């Protein structure tokens, strides 16, 4: 029986993969769950990444009646305490079909009670902190949605109601961004009347996107602080007081929770790494990066204290209402989805505030691999116009860098009018992007005037250092560094930055890494998460054209062994041509 069961599972799993493939749009802007794994210098697997969704116009295999019905049908113990929901084989096919509606396992979600329990995932010390409710600004919780499922939306709402101190909850504001589902209208209106916390619903007749929807909610809010949530979150105990306390201390602090993961298939609640901060890569995609050594040491001294983050993920944060409007709310030139998280992060930092992550506040978010809704105007056009606005208003020279390597954004740029936002920047007397990079994110991997930026070419092979990309890189154990034919175009995968301290790095905060001590004189060179440690330091000798590992004096070399052809190694410096490198600068502005 067990054997048959396993066979059934395998068959269904295979089918599900096929279903997924079929539903991937052939749109040229397909954005994947852009998650990559690296093994860092300690041998710990590090996942950097964030996805930007891919929209589909139609929902394959899904019955329109199913879409339009609220099928919430709780089973008392399903998903209890954050455990995964197991779908029996007989229901698997149905669950896969309706997966397409919201791009998560709706069948599983509909079985989990709206008030399911969740574990207390905080560090023990957190439990004794944040008790001074009277001094914290009361919160208006703002949840915007477009075509959200009933069960995820109201599990968000109930997690707020059940796990927030009553004294701190002013109200809940739901903003419906032109949803097309009937159950989100009258049934919802009736339902929220009965909730124990004042809850209202605002509706937009036309699709306005999340920035405008959040602005709509903010303008109506009565609380001294605004707390934004996506419509598929679950808050855990202690989440709200630890978000509000830093605002009471300094009203210009914008506070994000640690974002835990709700699995899109099983709805299991998974605690995520606290040792991350939010930033972005050369394409302005938001990414989580591991903290460097110095940062880690600082954190260890007080692990409950909110720590700085260069950028926020976007969906989940608390801010003083007064301060939110003072610094210009959101950029209302932004459409539908994307980019607003970087815009508000840059603006807050550059204009005198700060963005922090409160380690005692844990909120689960349902991460999806693709986006279920349409992007009127096209997904690429929407996202790139939003990002173009960010670059034009806030990034100065690094905006030019972004446009240089990003054709779509460069096209979108022409259509943007950002005068109002530039005026705002002047009015608030904000700092430059250089200031931001130097002071808020000194570990950044962008080019500067004092760094080399360009190709690193091997003299013997006439090949260039290349960043492992795509799937191949994750199959390659430990991200081995490689060289490849130098392309004549400006390809970012061939671009490297070498800092004054000899760190050779590239996009997504990955660095050229080799062991400090070597037993024998042949060692593979890897691409790993930048750690700021000595094993990632190199010296370029202009005269001999050698790239020497700073700690052991070995030279960067190209392997000629059959099993590791064209892979990079360090070996005894002998003056051979495979150890000679040309640093070919590339104009980045
Ligand atoms: C992330 C953020 C999200 C937002 C986005 C970039 C987290 C956990 N989530 O993507 O909040 O910052 O990056 O823009 O950090 N929505 C509307 N109208 C629309 C589109 C979306 O109301 O036209 C709602 C949607 O129903 C959801 C929220 O906006 O409640 C965020 O959208 P998402 O969940 O698709 O974004 P996500 O989590 O992929
Ligand atoms: Mn979301």
């Amino acid at each position: 029986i067990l054997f048959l069961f396993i066979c059934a599972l395998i068959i269904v799993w295979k089918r599900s993969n096929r279903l997924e493939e079929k539903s991937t749009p052939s749109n040229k802007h397909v954005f994947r769950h852009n998650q990559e794994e690296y093994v860092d210098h300690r041998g710990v697997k590090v996942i950097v990444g964030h996805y930007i969704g891919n929209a589909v116009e139609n929902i394959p295999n899904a019955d329109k009646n199913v879409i339009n019905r609220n099928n919430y049908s709780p089973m008392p113990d399903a998903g209890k305490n954050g455990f995964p929901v197991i779908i029996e084989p007989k229901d698997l096919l149905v669950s896969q079909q309706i997966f397409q509606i919201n791009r998560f396992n709706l069948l599983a979600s509909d079985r989990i009670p709206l008030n399911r329990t969740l574990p207390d995932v905080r560090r023990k010390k957190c439990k004794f902190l944040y008790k001074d409710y009277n001094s914290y600004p009361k919160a208006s919780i703002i949840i915007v949605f477009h075509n959200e499922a009933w069960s995820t939306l109201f599990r968000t709402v109930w997690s707020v109601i059940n796990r927030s101190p009553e004294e701190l909850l002013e109200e809940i504001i739901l903003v419906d961004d032109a949803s097309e589902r009937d159950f989100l209208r009258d049934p919802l209106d009736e339902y929220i009347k009965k909730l124990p916390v004042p809850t209202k619903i605002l509706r937009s007749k036309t699709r306005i996107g999340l920035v405008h929807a959040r602005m709509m909610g903010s303008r109506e809010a009565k609380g001294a602080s605004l707390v934004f949530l996506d419509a598929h979150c679950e808050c855990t105990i202690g989440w709200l007081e630890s978000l509000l306390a830093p605002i009471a201390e300094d009203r210009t602090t914008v506070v994000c929770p640690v974002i835990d993961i709700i699995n899109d298939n099983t709805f299991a609640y998974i605690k995520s790494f606290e040792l991350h901060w939010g930033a972005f890569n050369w394409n302005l995609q938001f990414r989580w990066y591991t903290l460097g050594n110095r940062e880690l040491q600082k954190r260890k001294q007080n692990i409950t204290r909110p720590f700085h983050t260069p950028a926020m993920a976007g969906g989940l944060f608390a801010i003083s209402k007064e301060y939110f409007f003072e610094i210009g709310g959101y950029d209302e030139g932004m459409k539908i989805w994307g980019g607003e998280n970087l815009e508000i992060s840059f603006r807050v930092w550059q204009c005198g505030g700060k963005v922090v992550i409160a380690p005692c506040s844990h909120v689960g978010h349902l991460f999806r691999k693709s986006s279920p809704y349409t992007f009127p105007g096209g997904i690429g056009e929407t996202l790139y116009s939003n990002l173009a606005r960010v670059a034009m208003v806030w990034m100065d020279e690094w905006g030019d860098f972004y446009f240089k390597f990003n054709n779509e954004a460069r096209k979108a740029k022409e259509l943007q009018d950002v005068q109002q936002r530039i005026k705002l920047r002047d009015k608030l007397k904000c700092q430059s992007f250089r200031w931001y990079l130097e002071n808020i994110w000194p570990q950044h991997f962008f080019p500067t005037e004092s760094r080399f930026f360009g190709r690193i070419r091997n003299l013997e092979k006439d090949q260039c250092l290349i960043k492992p990309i795509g799937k191949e890189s994750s199959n390659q154990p430990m991200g081995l560094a490689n060289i490849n034919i130098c392309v004549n175009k400006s390809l970012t995968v061939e671009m490297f930055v070498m800092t004054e301290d000899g760190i050779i790095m590239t996009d997504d905060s990955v660095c050229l890494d080799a062991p400090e001590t070597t037993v024998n004189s042949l060692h593979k060179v890897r691409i790993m998460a930048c750690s700021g440690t000595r094993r990632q330091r190199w010296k370029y000798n202009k005269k001999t054209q050698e790239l020497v590992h700073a700690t052991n004096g070995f030279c960067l070399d190209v392997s000629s062994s059959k099993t590791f052809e064209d892979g990079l190694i360090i070996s005894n410096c002998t003056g051979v041509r495979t150890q000679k490198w040309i640093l070919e600068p590339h104009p980045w502005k």
Side-chain angles (χ1 to χ4, degrees):
I1 287 171
L2 188 68
F3 175 73
L4 285 177
F5 178 71
I6 290 171
C7 286
L9 268 182
I10 291 172
I11 291 168
V12 170
W13 178 73
K14 288 238 154 111
R15 284 191 74 126
S16 86
N17 281 356
R18 249 188 290 153
L19 265 174
E20 273 292 328
E21 270 164 34
K22 255 195 240 153
S23 64
T24 306
S26 56
N27 194 323
K28 73 175 160 67
H29 303 288
V30 174
F31 298 110
R32 301 199 167 284
H33 190 81
N34 223 336
Q35 219 174 41
E36 287 160 48
E37 286 182 7
Y38 294 101
V39 176
D40 75 2
H41 57 288
R42 293 157 306 181
V44 177
K45 208 188 233 179
V46 176
I47 299 172
V48 290
H50 180 70
Y51 70 96
I52 39 180
N54 55 1
V56 280
E57 305 292 320
N58 49 12
I59 301 162
N61 312 319
D63 176 350
K64 282 272 183 283
N65 292 323
V66 181
I67 300 172
N68 219 344
R69 251 176 42 216
N70 163 23
N71 285 311
Y72 172 57
S73 43
M75 295 175 163
D77 284 341
K80 198 173 167 178
N81 214 26
F83 283 132
V85 176
I86 314 286
I87 302 286
E88 313 85 77
K90 70 173 172 54
D91 295 329
L92 271 174
L93 196 62
V94 179
S95 99
Q96 280 155 10
Q97 282 168 344
I98 64 172
F99 193 100
Q100 303 305 325
I101 303 172
N102 297 85
R103 297 301 164 94
F104 55 70
N105 190 342
L106 182 58
L107 192 75
S109 178
D110 283 346
R111 287 181 182 179
I112 304 169
L114 297 181
N115 62 353
R116 80 152 152 178
T117 50
L118 286 180
D120 182 350
V121 290
R122 296 170 297 174
R123 285 171 185 277
K124 282 212 179 66
K125 280 187 181 163
C126 296
K127 296 179 190 171
F128 309 102
L129 300 171
Y130 309 118
K131 302 290 182 206
D132 190 13
Y133 298 165
N134 289 331
S135 69
Y136 305 158
K138 264 186 128 177
S140 291
I141 312 288
I142 299 172
I143 301 168
V144 306
F145 62 91
H146 174 72
N147 285 346
E148 189 64 49
W150 182 275
S151 51
T152 42
L153 174 62
F154 282 104
R155 203 172 305 113
T156 311
V157 168
W158 276 106
S159 76
V160 169
I161 297 172
N162 288 335
R163 287 188 276 269
S164 311
E166 212 177 319
E167 304 92 306
L168 294 178
L169 265 190
E170 179 77 44
E171 60 186 341
I172 297 172
I173 299 177
L174 304 177
V175 186
D176 176 359
D177 183 9
S179 295
E180 296 133 342
R181 295 180 189 170
D182 293 343
F183 63 82
L184 293 171
R185 307 203 68 84
D186 300 349
L188 185 144
D189 290 352
E190 285 309 305
Y191 186 79
I192 62 172
K193 283 184 199 153
K194 294 180 214 137
L195 293 174
V197 170
T199 304
K200 62 179 154 196
I201 171 95
L202 309 175
R203 287 201 167 92
S204 170
K205 282 210 181 78
T206 54
R207 180 84 179 278
I208 52 179
L210 69 90
V211 156
H212 288 264
R214 284 184 195 160
M215 287 306 286
M216 201 167 149
S218 309
R219 292 192 179 104
E220 287 281 316
K222 292 203 236 67
S225 66
L226 311 173
V227 176
F228 296 99
L229 292 176
D230 276 8
H232 31 258
C233 290
E234 289 179 63
C235 307
T236 66
I237 184 102
W239 79 287
L240 185 60
E241 47 274 47
S242 46
L243 275 189
L244 300 179
I247 301 176
E249 234 169 76
D250 173 355
R251 61 185 281 281
T252 67
T253 312
V254 177
V255 196
C256 309
V258 175
I259 306 179
D260 289 333
I261 299 157
I262 301 171
N263 184 282
D264 59 345
N265 196 26
T266 65
F267 278 72
Y269 190 99
I270 303 152
K271 185 182 174 176
S272 73
F273 259 174
E274 278 175 15
L275 299 177
H276 270 167
W277 63 8
F280 44 92
N281 63 13
W282 289 350
N283 286 320
L284 299 187
Q285 290 163 315
F286 177 85
R287 295 297 179 100
W288 294 108
Y289 297 116
T290 43
L291 297 173
N293 265 6
R294 204 176 325 141
E295 218 57 37
L296 278 177
Q297 292 313 322
K298 249 202 264 169
R299 285 279 329 271
K300 276 189 189 142
Q301 283 159 24
N302 189 345
I303 46 172
T304 58
R305 207 205 337 257
F307 57 94
H308 289 180
T309 180
M312 65 158 91
L316 289 49
F317 66 97
I319 187 169
S320 138
K321 179 181 174 183
E322 200 181 52
Y323 180 62
F324 179 68
F325 286 106
E326 219 171 273
I327 55 152
Y330 270 123
D331 175 357
E332 292 184 78
M334 288 192 172
K335 292 174 281 182
I336 304 294
W337 185 98
E340 93 294 339
N341 54 327
L342 292 187
E343 196 273 340
I344 197 170
S345 307
F346 296 164
R347 180 154 43 87
V348 167
W349 276 121
Q350 286 172 243
C351 309
K354 49 182 188 256
V355 185
V356 301
I357 295 174
C360 291
S361 178
H362 278 255
V363 178
H365 171 261
L366 182 77
F367 285 94
R368 292 179 278 206
K369 294 177 187 72
S370 58
S371 189
Y373 40 74
T374 57
F375 279 66
I379 178 167
E381 288 77 353
T382 306
L383 180 64
Y384 288 115
S385 357
N386 292 351
L387 290 175
R389 298 181 71 83
V390 178
M392 288 162 82
V393 179
W394 297 103
M395 294 180 66
D396 310 327
E397 299 94 300
W398 290 271
D400 301 336
F401 169 70
Y402 173 64
F403 290 122
K404 183 160 218 159
F405 288 101
N406 202 307
N407 301 335
E408 265 115 324
R410 197 166 53 237
K411 267 181 245 150
K413 183 184 174 198
E414 305 307 319
L415 305 168
Q416 303 307 312
D417 175 3
V418 292
Q419 278 206 6
Q420 289 302 318
R421 299 307 279 183
I422 296 203
K423 260 196 207 144
L424 174 78
R425 181 173 162 172
D426 290 343
K427 191 186 97 190
L428 296 172
K429 299 197 171 53
C430 307
Q431 301 273 13
S432 64
F433 200 70
R434 181 183 307 278
W435 175 90
Y436 168 87
L437 288 179
E438 283 172 4
N439 296 280
I440 307 308
W441 191 24
Q443 301 80 349
H444 75 87
F445 44 83
F446 281 76
T448 67
E449 288 79 4
S450 58
R451 294 170 167 191
F452 162 79
F453 173 77
R455 286 199 186 88
I456 301 180
R457 183 190 288 267
N458 189 273
L459 194 66
E460 167 70 18
K461 299 262 176 177
D462 198 30
Q463 291 183 354
C464 293
L465 204 59
I466 183 166
K467 180 193 171 193
I469 34 161
K471 278 220 166 103
E472 299 78 56
S473 75
S474 53
N475 287 341
Q476 261 181 42
M478 318 278 279
L480 289 168
N482 234 319
I483 59 171
N484 214 327
I485 302 119
C486 311
V487 181
N488 251 340
K489 282 183 285 178
S490 18
L491 267 186
T492 47
V493 286
E494 286 180 0
M495 297 298 158
F496 284 79
V497 159
M498 184 165 182
T499 66
E500 284 169 296
D501 326 337
I503 295 169
I504 299 177
M505 52 192 180
T506 178
D507 198 9
D508 276 316
S509 194
V510 289
C511 281
L512 214 60
D513 180 294
E516 275 179 56
T517 49
T518 42
V519 200
N520 53 42
S521 62
L522 259 170
H523 262 274
K524 289 182 181 174
V525 171
R526 303 169 196 286
I527 286 278
M528 287 205 204
C530 298
S531 60
T533 48
R534 286 159 53 88
R535 51 182 293 151
Q536 295 182 350
R537 283 177 206 236
W538 305 81
K539 272 193 205 115
Y540 184 60
N541 185 332
K542 262 196 186 140
K543 237 168 83 216
T544 60
Q545 296 181 307
E546 288 163 341
L547 270 167
V548 184
H549 195 261
T551 53
N552 57 28
F554 287 119
C555 275
L556 185 67
D557 200 346
V558 183
S559 159
S560 54
S561 105
K562 276 231 172 68
T563 51
F564 192 49
E565 214 172 341
D566 288 351
L568 292 184
I569 50 170
I570 43 173
S571 62
N572 275 322
C573 303
T574 55
V576 289
R577 278 167 66 90
T578 50
Q579 290 180 354
K580 293 194 185 289
W581 300 89
I582 305 159
L583 267 53
E584 233 175 57
H586 192 88
W588 56 274
K589 284 195 229 177

